[in-house]
Each structure stands twice: as structure tokens, then as C-alpha cells.
Amino acid sequence: MESEVQNKAPRTHYINARYGLKSWLFTIDHKRIALLYLASITFFFFLGGLFAVLIRLELLTPKGDLVQAETYNRFFTMHGVVMVFFFLIPAIPATLGNFLIPLMIGARDLAFPRLNLLSWYIYVVGAVFTLIAIVGGGVDTGWTFYTPYSTTYSNGNVLLTGIGIFITGFSSILTGLNFIVTIHTMRAPGLSWFRLPLFVWSHYATSLIMVLGTPVIAITILLLAFERIAHVGIFDPKLGGDPVLFQHLFWFYSHPAVYIMVLPAMGVISELVANMTRKNIFGYKFVALASIAIAIFGFLVWGHHMFVSTQSVYAGMIFSILSYAVAIPSAVKTFNWTATLYKGSISYNTPMLYAFGFIGFFIIGGMTGLFLAALGLDIHVHDTYFVVAHFHYIMVGGTIMGYLGGLHYWWPKISGRMYPEGWARFAALVIFVGFNLTFFPQFLLGYQGMPRRYYAYPDEFQVLNVMSSAGASILGVGYLIPMVYLFWSMRYGPKAGSNPWGAFGLEWRTSSPPPTENFKVTPVVTWEAYEFSPVEETEVIDISTP
Amino acid sequence: MQVSVPFAPDQASTYSGEVDALYGFLWALTIGVGAVLTILIIYFAVKYRRRTEDEIPKAVEGSLKLEVVWTVIPFFIAMGIFTWGASIYYKRYSPPSEALDVYVVAKQWMWKFQHLDGQREINELHIPVGRKIKLTMTTEDVIHSLFVPAFRLKMDVVPGKYSSIWFQPTEAGRYHLFCAEYCGTSHSGMIGWIDVMEPSEYQSWLSGGSGEALAASGEKLFQQLGCVTCHRSDGQGRGPILEGLFGKEAALQGGQKVTADEAYVRESILNPKAKVVEGYQPIMPTFQGLVTEEQLLQLVAYVKSIGKTQTGTNPAGASPSPPNKMGAAAVPTGPPQTGRSGGAEAKKPR
Ligand SMILES: [Cu+2]
Ligand SMILES: [Cu+2]
């Protein structure tokens, strides 16, 4: 790719500025670091996906016939650990966030470029520990590490995996810190808070959770390690501890972690909807502040994972009502995206297809969250496939649609090349169909009573399981297609101009790929966010409310 | 309310219809909201599709009115769902006093049930249709979760404590019992059956059983472990009188009060110094490690069975007698089992 670019356009940009492995491993350019993350998380996505394939193969038949129960338990644990901590949490912030936040606010780099590189190294070290744990036999506790199973009974590599997650957490904390400082101090002249792209708002909210929530999971892992190594009684009642305490600590981080995954995706969707309709986002301030509201309320609902855990009945009620409260800002966002389409100029390009897909998954995932927050109903569906389906719709459906939509939308900026539009639309469709076929049957399966983490199951659950496995094979193909054509386009894709979409936003006002310093001159912002055309005071809207 | 929804398990308890009704309502709401949004999106996407490459539409100003509308309406709908869900939930944790007690001990990877009449079962539970049943549950090792889809019933079973849940089966039949909380290698093998029987069948099943009543086993343990030396029914022991205690409030040192329920009896045996009854010395040794979970439940059943006994003195230390140093010598010598009503009372289903 470098040679061609050099022959035809001798312009220097961040990719061809320097050559060699060293120039990548010691780079402090946020754009190059974003690509380092992109490579790492892609590896973990396919590793986690491999475990998913093995899970779905085992579940094709009611009997456990492919592998041993113990092996199966390791598969779903490693699937969860790899996907949650090494793909979903860093997916959008560490790649697109890292690449775009300085560009979107007209800055040269993040506030702490060296810290940014250090974050990636910390991620890699944590990842290596986890990979050693996997290669050395894996761990069988489930990604939730419930005590006292994880502290006293499991004979898997609990400590090694825990250390991996503990270390990687610091990468997340430092990235969040870097984003917060950057957004506060490095905005271009004229770029006030309410002129910021919604992508930046959602990353600001995400960073708050990263900085405030991640230390709690780190402490929890340390306590778990103390008990496992030194038999200090914290969680195991035989040593004088309380097993339910672990669940409180674990979910205090792990519920907000869902918003670390989905808030950035919401930010991407706001960009896609605005730019692919060439309109300002309807209710911009409400969408921006909804991100902050979600981040705050998100810290107050962890107990909704514990309605049957022996937590007090009244605590359950408070967590239930707060969970409904956090649903409101999410609904507000969805309504505003829909209203933005009104009188827009709607493109059907791949990024917009992903945005439509996101909204679809988010409606199903969000509404089924209302089922789970309903105390009396949760008693039945808790720890069944209904929950599995729900969180995959939000965490995987939502996050990956945002991630892939964003990757396609900013691909010309990142690589300087266009991806093949026909193939990309086809892949988006395959993913949408495959995903629904994989996960929708699991709602029904869960209500029928199939518990999660079951290696073998009664015969009556087979039909829906076969549907789910069939969907998963389609989904797997859907994920492989972009892998192929995005690589292909880096060399053979048509060259992209600085703004191939006719989009709004500072990142489109520099060349593609951008120069190392992002902008030749510091931009001065005199416009509102997404100000394709000025807002007229007299505009009357007449759509009925959904 | 009886509603039947597709892809639902059998409806076999009083909860089943209630939960299905809420579930059905929520799907209707989901389909409604989803349909309105999908139709709007498709309509806009077609009507306002991009017609020329350089088209720039006019900006549309936001609307405070709309924002308020689509914040407030979902809020009230959400509060309605909350109330509906909470009312179903609350009932399950308020067991009626007439419920039939069944004790459950889980372990990797089996369910052990003990009936008041002494029947013990593994991975299978026989209960009469129409009776309210209260499960008091604990585990010997890790967390498990008792899940009966046909009853829409689930409750975690947590080591170191008792959890309880009650239900009322409405249809005779054989229903799946699952472990819902991941508990190790054979988690998915920790399954069994609930047999809901017609009352007459249940009676004959009961009489086919052998073994002594749970409370009688508890009483034997009470003797063997020497509990009886201090917890004397005549009020002369060094520990509080247990007759008439269960279900009542006991005054503790420091002025607090505690309801003498299963959890309190359990705690008092394993960690006697945690909540000492007012007027008594914290001299009771712990029985941690000396009794199994099943024996503990027998002791609880025994204490519960003598809970209805009337004693002359106010129980639980309201008028304690001074600690008697010669407690052991004062043990009544008569055959203890015949002298008490506990074992006999537990034999007839209440
Ligand atoms: Cu949650
Ligand atoms: Cu289990």
C-alpha cells in the first residue's frame, strides 16, 4: 500500500511517515496506536468467536457428545472472558475513539500520547497472561467468577486469568483518563461543549465509567486472589466470608461495563445517522446528556443481576425501579435517531445499514431488558437463555453493529481507501440475518426453561438450539467477509478523498489518511455540530410520537 | 389471571399464569413499540431517500414538547411494569404460615430433600397438589439455584445460609427441576423431577416411607450433642428455653430484637456468640464442623416443632433464671422422646 501511495501521491501521512516494525511499536501517534489496538482486538474477536463456534457445535444435540463437560465449561468461560475483557470493552474506545477523538476536536493528539502507548502495552501484557491461562488448560468458572466456586472449588487457572483481567483493567482506566483530560483541555478554539460531536460526548461518558468503575473490579479480583491463595475468609462461608458480597462487587463494575461497550456504539450511531441523512441530530442536547445520565444511573442498578441471590426483597425493589429509570435515556436516544430521519437525505450506504441494524437490535435488546428488570418475571428467566439472548442483543448486536458501522464509515479516513460497497452491504445483511437467527430463538428457549451454561439438555430444547447454531454459522460467515474485503481494499480499494461521504465534522476537513500532526493549522470552529444547513427558527414538525 | 403464551413451559403453579400474563403483555408492548418505530424508519427511509448526490436537506429544529412526551410516557409505562413485577415478586417471599415445610440440601451435583415425616429423596421431590409448600434450602459447597420452569420458580441456594421460597402447585404431573446457577463440571447434570401428586396418592406415598420424622431425628441429635443440658424446658438451664420460642421475638443483649426463624436457629448453633439472648452468658460452644447441613436442618425442624409448646415462663430470656452451674446433673432422666410433643406433632401434616 505504501509504494502505490508514494508513487501517485507523494504526500506524507501518518501511515507512510515512518517505516518498520519499530516505528509502529514505539509510536506515540494516536492513529497508529488505534491501529495497534485494531489488530489486537481483531485477533481476540476471532479467538472468542472460535470458542463460540465450539459451544454452538456442542449444543447441536441434547447429549454432550462433542467434548467433555469440563471442556465445555472452559469453552464458555473463555468465550466470555475473551469477548468481554479483550474485545467488547476496548472495541470502540481504543480503536475508533483513539483514532477519532483528537481529529474530531481539532487536536494534534491525545493529552498524554506516551500514556496512550503504555495503555496498549498494558493491554498486551494482560492479554498474554490470559492467553497463557488458556493454553495452560483454561478456566471453568464462567466469566462471572462466582464465589465460593472460583475461590475454593475450581481447579482451572483462575488466578492467571484474574491477573490478566486485573492488568488489562489498567489499560482501560488510563485510556479513560486520557480521553477525559483531552476532551476538557484540547478542544479547538470555538468548539464549545454543545458543539462537540455526539461521538465525543458518548466517549466522555464512557471514560467516566472506565475511570470510576474499573478499580472496583481490580479490587474484587485482588480479594478473590487473597482468598484463593491465602484462605483469608472474604467470600467463602466456610472461612467466614459471604459469597453474595462477591456478586455485589462484581456487578458494581460489570453492569456499568455494559455501558462501556454500548455507549461508544451509540456515539457511532449518532454520527452515522446525522451524516448519512446530512442533518443535525434531532434533540442534540437530549442525546448528549442522555449519555451522561446513562453513565450515572448505570452505577446504581447492579443488584438487578441478583434478584434471586438472597439479596433483600426491598433492595431488589430499589434496583428494579432504578433499572427502569436507566431505560428512559436509552429510549430517548432511539426516538431522537428516528426523528432525525424525518426530512433528511437518507443514504443507503453500508454505514447507514449498520445504523438501521443497530436500532433494530437495540429495540429488541432494550425492550427485553424491561422483562428482566421486572422482579416477578426475572425469577423465571434469570440464568436462562433469555438472559443470554438479551445481553447478546445489547452487548454484541449493539456494540458490533456500532463498531462495524463506524469502521466502514471511517475506513476511508483510516486507510485512505474505499471498501467495496456491494460486498459491504451484502455482509451487513448476512450479519443482521445471522444474528437474529442465532439469538432470537434463545429468548424462547430461555422462557421454556433452558438454563444457561448447560453442556447437555433435555430433548425438548433441541429444535430451538439447532436454529441458533444454524444462525451462528451464517453469522460467522458474515463476520469473515468484511475481514477479507477490508484487507483487500487497503491495497486495491479506490482512493478516498478527504470527505467521500459529504459528511460534517472536523475529521473530514483533513486529508485521508491524515498527516501525523492531524491538521496543518489548528482549526477554528464557528459552526454547530452537524450544521449541514442552518437551523431555521420557524420549522414546524408534525410527526406523531411513537 | 390466566394467559397462555407460545413457547412457555407447563403452567403448574399459581405463579405460572401471573408470570405468563406479564410476559405476554411485555411481548405485546415490544412488538407494538418495535412495529411503530420500524414503520416510521422504513417510511422515512423511503420517503426521504437521497435523490441527488449533493442534496442537503433543511435543518429541523428539535422540539422540547416531543422530548418531554417521549420521556414522560415511557416513564409511566416503566413504572407500571415495575409495580406489576414487584407485586408478583413480593408474594413469593412472604410464605404463609400454613405452608408445608420441605428442607433442601444441595451439593455438587445433587438435590437432597427431607420431608417432615422423615422421607428423604435425591433429585426427586414428591408433593401434594394444591398444598402450599415452603422450601428451606442450603448447600454443602458452592452456590446452586433451584429452578422449576413449570412453577415459574427459582431461588439461589447459598452456602452458609438458608434461603427460602414458597409456591402452590396446581396441576398434578411430573416437572423438570434444574440447577440454574453454574456450579462446576456437572452443573447440567444436576437436574431432577418434581412429582406433584393427588392428595390421596401423596398420602399413600407418605405411608410407604420408612424412617423417623425429621423433628424426631432432630430431637435425638439434641440429646446426643448435649444441647439438652443447657436448654432445659424447666427454665433451670444455662441456655434459653426453646419450647415456644420459634417464630417469636427474642430480646438480645444490647437491646436488639431478633425473630427466631430458621436462619436465627442456624446461626445460634454455628456461631452462638453472634446474637446472645439477654440475661445469658455467651458460653455456648460452636457446633461448626460437628453437624452436617442435613443434621442442622433436623435440629431446626425440632426447634420449630416445639415452637408451639406452651411454657409457663416467657421464653427467650425475658425472665431468665440465673445460670445453673450444675446444669448437667439436673438433666431429667426419663425417656425424652415420649415426653415431648414435637415428634408426634410433626407426623401429622399441618
Ligand atoms: Cu446489568
Ligand atoms: Cu448448578
Side-chain angles (χ1 to χ4, degrees), chain B residues 179-259:
Chain B
C179 175
E181 183 61 67
Y182 175 68
C183 55
T185 308
S186 296
H187 166 57
S188 65
M190 194 168 156
I191 61 179
W193 296 97
I194 309 281
D195 284 290
V196 179
M197 310 170 89
E198 294 299 340
S200 55
E201 280 178 72
Y202 177 68
Q203 280 310 323
S204 60
W205 178 82
L206 269 187
S207 54
S210 58
E212 60 191 346
L214 206 57
S217 309
E219 184 172 18
K220 270 191 194 153
L221 276 170
F222 198 78
Q223 309 284 341
Q224 283 165 14
L225 295 168
C227 315
V228 71
T229 37
C230 298
H231 296 286
R232 292 172 43 166
S233 54
D234 60 3
Q236 300 301 306
R238 289 182 292 178
I241 308 166
L242 303 182
E243 278 79 359
L245 167 72
F246 196 90
K248 316 245 169 33
E249 272 200 343
L252 301 180
Q253 282 178 3
Q256 282 176 305
K257 291 202 160 153
V258 65
T259 303

Side-chain angles (χ1 to χ4, degrees), chain B residues 37-104:
Chain B
L37 285 172
T38 308
I39 289 167
L40 271 177
I41 289 171
I42 292 175
Y43 174 74
F44 289 159
V46 172
K47 180 147 189 225
Y48 304 115
R49 68 185 176 276
R50 185 169 299 169
R51 288 162 205 267
T52 56
E53 254 323 295
D54 50 357
E55 180 179 61
I56 299 284
K58 273 197 200 150
V60 173
E61 205 191 354
S63 155
L64 183 63
K65 212 189 276 175
L66 271 181
E67 300 290 344
V68 170
V69 165
W70 63 45
T71 304
V72 170
I73 292 178
F75 179 79
F76 281 108
I77 294 175
M79 288 306 111
I81 304 169
F82 162 75
T83 312
W84 191 343
S87 68
I88 298 175
Y89 183 74
Y90 189 74
K91 261 189 272 179
R92 303 197 180 195
Y93 291 97
S94 335
S97 58
E98 75 270 24
L100 177 65
D101 275 303
V102 175
Y103 296 98
V104 184

Side-chain angles (χ1 to χ4, degrees), chain B residues 16 62 79 174 183 234 264 280 333:
Chain B
S16 309
M79 288 306 111
R174 209 168 139 75
C183 55
D234 60 3
Y264 176 61
Y280 288 88
T333 47

Side-chain angles (χ1 to χ4, degrees), chain A residues 115-305:
Chain A
L115 193 66
N116 195 20
L117 182 65
L118 178 67
S119 307
W120 181 71
Y121 275 104
I122 293 174
Y123 169 89
V124 170
V125 172
V128 166
F129 272 96
T130 305
L131 285 175
I132 294 172
I134 295 175
V135 174
V139 58
D140 70 336
T141 58
W143 79 278
T144 47
F145 294 98
Y146 270 21
T147 55
Y149 185 72
S150 60
T151 51
T152 310
Y153 294 85
S154 168
N155 54 13
N157 296 323
V158 178
L159 281 178
L160 213 50
T161 315
I163 292 169
I165 295 169
F166 177 85
I167 295 172
T168 306
F170 285 90
S171 154
S172 191
I173 295 172
L174 296 178
T175 302
L177 189 73
N178 219 339
F179 285 175
I180 291 174
V181 175
T182 306
I183 296 169
H184 269 278
T185 60
M186 297 178 67
R187 283 172 285 123
L191 188 56
S192 59
W193 282 89
F194 283 118
R195 283 177 170 178
L196 283 174
L198 290 165
F199 181 88
V200 177
W201 269 102
S202 74
H203 274 76
Y204 186 79
T206 308
S207 303
L208 290 177
I209 304 173
M210 286 171 156
V211 171
L212 297 175
T214 318
V216 178
I217 192 78
I219 293 164
T220 312
I221 292 170
L222 280 185
L223 293 175
L224 191 156
F226 277 143
E227 184 165 294
R228 202 170 154 91
I229 301 168
H231 306 289
V232 183
I234 301 160
F235 304 124
D236 187 347
K238 290 209 170 110
L239 304 168
D242 177 3
V244 180
L245 173 66
F246 176 85
Q247 298 175 27
H248 282 290
L249 291 170
F250 178 83
W251 290 114
F252 185 84
Y253 165 75
S254 296
H255 184 75
V258 175
Y259 300 117
I260 297 181
M261 305 171 205
V262 83
L263 273 171
M266 290 170 155
V268 170
I269 299 309
S270 293
E271 296 300 315
L272 301 187
V273 168
N275 287 298
M276 290 290 147
T277 59
R278 294 191 178 149
K279 260 181 82 249
N280 56 332
I281 284 280
F282 194 89
Y284 167 92
K285 281 191 184 175
F286 291 91
V287 177
L289 295 175
S291 291
I292 306 295
I294 290 172
I296 294 169
F297 281 122
F299 273 112
L300 305 174
V301 300
W302 76 88
H304 68 202
H305 298 264

Side-chain angles (χ1 to χ4, degrees), chain A residues 69-70 73 76 140-142 146-149 153 237-238 242-244 247 275-280 282-283 286 306-314 316-318 320-321 324-325 328 331-332 334-336 338-339 341-349 356 359 363-364 367-368 370-371 374-384 386 440 443-444 446-456 458 460-461 464 501 532-539 541 543-546, chain B residues 5-9 16 19-24 26-27 29-31 33-34 36-38 40-42 44-64 66-76 78-79 81-82 84-90 92-93 108-109 140-143 145 147-163 165 176-191 288:
Chain A
E70 206 145 311
N73 296 343
F76 71 69
D140 70 336
T141 58
Y146 270 21
T147 55
Y149 185 72
Y153 294 85
K238 290 209 170 110
D242 177 3
V244 180
Q247 298 175 27
N275 287 298
M276 290 290 147
T277 59
R278 294 191 178 149
K279 260 181 82 249
N280 56 332
F282 194 89
F286 291 91
M306 301 169 59
F307 289 157
V308 298
S309 70
T310 72
Q311 151 186 277
S312 114
V313 174
Y314 302 99
M317 291 193 177
I318 289 177
S320 169
I321 206 165
Y324 283 109
I328 306 296
V332 166
T334 312
F335 297 143
N336 279 303
T338 307
L341 302 178
Y342 174 71
K343 291 198 174 171
S345 165
I346 302 169
S347 146
Y348 297 160
N349 282 327
F356 287 139
I359 295 173
I363 292 170
I364 296 174
M367 292 299 292
T368 51
L370 303 182
F371 291 57
L375 290 154
L377 181 50
D378 183 68
I379 291 184
H380 178 58
V381 287
H382 176 76
D383 268 338
T384 67
F386 193 94
F440 200 85
F443 285 120
L444 308 175
Y447 200 76
Q448 271 192 343
M450 178 158 164
R452 63 192 288 202
R453 296 171 172 173
Y454 261 34
Y455 155 72
E460 65 258 35
F461 299 136
L464 289 166
W501 307 115
F532 285 93
S533 44
V535 177
E536 285 168 29
E537 297 295 316
T538 52
E539 190 71 48
I541 39 172
I543 61 163
S544 51
T545 48
Chain B
V5 288
F7 291 101
S16 309
V19 171
D20 287 1
L22 178 53
Y23 178 73
L26 284 171
W27 270 125
L29 184 73
T30 303
I31 292 167
V33 171
V36 169
L37 285 172
T38 308
L40 271 177
I41 289 171
I42 292 175
F44 289 159
V46 172
K47 180 147 189 225
Y48 304 115
R49 68 185 176 276
R50 185 169 299 169
R51 288 162 205 267
T52 56
E53 254 323 295
D54 50 357
E55 180 179 61
I56 299 284
K58 273 197 200 150
V60 173
E61 205 191 354
S63 155
L64 183 63
L66 271 181
E67 300 290 344
V68 170
V69 165
W70 63 45
T71 304
V72 170
I73 292 178
F75 179 79
F76 281 108
M79 288 306 111
I81 304 169
F82 162 75
W84 191 343
S87 68
I88 298 175
Y89 183 74
Y90 189 74
R92 303 197 180 195
Y93 291 97
Q108 287 176 323
W109 290 276
E140 293 176 12
D141 37 52
V142 301
I143 302 177
S145 187
F147 178 31
V148 185
F151 297 164
R152 312 292 185 271
L153 184 80
K154 185 181 291 113
M155 187 64 200
D156 281 5
V157 185
V158 180
K161 62 160 102 171
Y162 289 144
S163 57
I165 192 92
H176 274 302
L177 159 70
F178 295 128
C179 175
E181 183 61 67
Y182 175 68
C183 55
T185 308
S186 296
H187 166 57
S188 65
M190 194 168 156
I191 61 179
Q288 184 100 48

